[in-house]
Amino acid sequence: MDAGASWNIDRTRLPDGGTNLVRLSVMGVPDANDTLFSGENLVSTHDPHRLVALTVVAGSPQSALQQYDLYRQALENSHSRKPLYVLPAFLTSADQGKLAFALASILGLTYSQGTFFYYKPADPLASPVKLANGLLNSIQALTEHDGLVSEIMERVDAQIARIGLRDAIQILTEYYSTIPDGNTQLDEELRELKRLVRNYAEDLRRFSEFNVGLNGRPARQQSTR
């Protein structure tokens, strides 16, 4: 069975044009040790009447699907009528939304025009998504948009994988090292964003240290920019 038709992606929505996609093919035969087929990816199914061929292409976020905009619109329309998620793992918390906003700002996925903030989709031909008027309102608007938060975090992961952990940690460190010293609500919100980014950077550091210990060398220490 070939599921390729249901996984129709737009490669222009991928940062690398899809060059990092991984294709894996597996053939299921009655007995992998006694078969006319050759190859490394043979598995035994112990079914004497059937052959199974499976091809998987991995490495693309759902935002690269050609019909993604329609799927997202349908999801947003359904949100207003009934809850779609009941498990905590699928719900966007306020902190997740704030972290997504901060990371998107750091990595250039959002921009401001006047007092309004906008999100730039992965597709350069797609229209920007208006968040809200003012920083605080824009953070709140993004937090309430589950699909957009997930999309941003996927793009953040992809950018970090592309530039390397060391460079990503340095960029994040430069952001949270500049601390606002005011006492306004905006200053407090900015400090909260920086705290969340600092915690995120610490998670990346722990992952990098673990990877060094596991492989004996840093993970993607050299930037590919």
Side-chain angles (χ1 to χ4, degrees):
M1 180 179 66
D2 185 0
S6 63
W7 201 68
N8 195 2
I9 63 173
D10 182 353
R11 291 178 180 266
T12 64
R13 298 185 178 186
L14 298 174
D16 53 11
T19 57
N20 288 330
L21 295 178
V22 177
R23 183 182 182 90
L24 174 65
S25 296
V26 178
M27 173 71 77
V29 296
D31 186 349
N33 296 317
D34 184 15
T35 179
L36 297 177
F37 293 94
S38 61
E40 297 181 355
N41 297 330
L42 293 175
V43 296
S44 299
T45 63
H46 306 293
D47 184 343
H49 306 294
R50 182 177 303 172
L51 296 175
V52 180
L54 172 66
T55 298
V56 176
V57 181
S60 171
Q62 71 261 24
S63 56
L65 292 171
Q66 290 194 2
Q67 301 298 322
Y68 178 73
D69 293 336
L70 295 177
Y71 299 151
R72 187 172 66 181
Q73 186 61 49
L75 181 66
E76 292 174 353
N77 293 340
S78 298
H79 265 305
S80 61
R81 297 194 299 270
K82 59 182 179 180
L84 298 180
Y85 306 128
V86 295
L87 299 178
F90 291 94
L91 297 175
T92 300
S93 68
D95 283 352
Q96 287 175 317
K98 290 179 180 180
L99 176 62
F101 184 91
L103 294 175
S105 300
I106 295 169
L107 298 177
L109 304 183
T110 60
Y111 68 95
S112 62
Q113 185 172 335
T115 58
F116 283 88
F117 284 79
Y118 298 82
Y119 166 69
K120 295 188 293 186
D123 183 358
L125 297 180
S127 299
V129 178
K130 180 187 288 188
L131 297 177
N133 184 10
L135 177 64
L136 299 180
N137 292 333
S138 297
I139 294 173
Q140 182 63 32
L142 179 60
T143 300
E144 296 173 353
H145 199 313
D146 293 332
L148 201 53
V149 170
S150 298
E151 179 179 332
I152 287 174
M153 295 308 296
E154 288 177 359
R155 293 182 65 188
V156 168
D157 288 343
Q159 285 207 31
I160 290 176
R162 187 170 66 253
I163 67 178
L165 281 173
R166 186 177 65 180
D167 285 356
I169 292 171
Q170 180 179 349
I171 292 171
L172 299 180
T173 302
E174 291 174 356
Y175 168 79
Y176 69 71
S177 296
T178 305
I179 305 173
D181 56 3
N183 295 315
T184 66
Q185 182 182 2
L186 178 59
D187 291 324
E188 183 56 39
E189 189 68 25
L190 289 174
R191 282 192 287 269
E192 176 64 16
L193 294 180
K194 291 176 183 290
R195 282 193 290 266
L196 292 171
V197 171
R198 182 180 61 188
N199 293 340
Y200 182 80
E202 289 300 323
D203 287 340
L204 293 183
R205 286 192 181 93
R206 284 190 287 269
F207 176 78
S208 180
E209 292 169 358
F210 172 79
N211 197 68
V212 171
L214 188 65
N215 299 322
R217 63 181 185 278
R220 292 288 306 279
Q221 288 294 309
Q222 297 298 323
S223 171
T224 58
R225 288 182 295 178

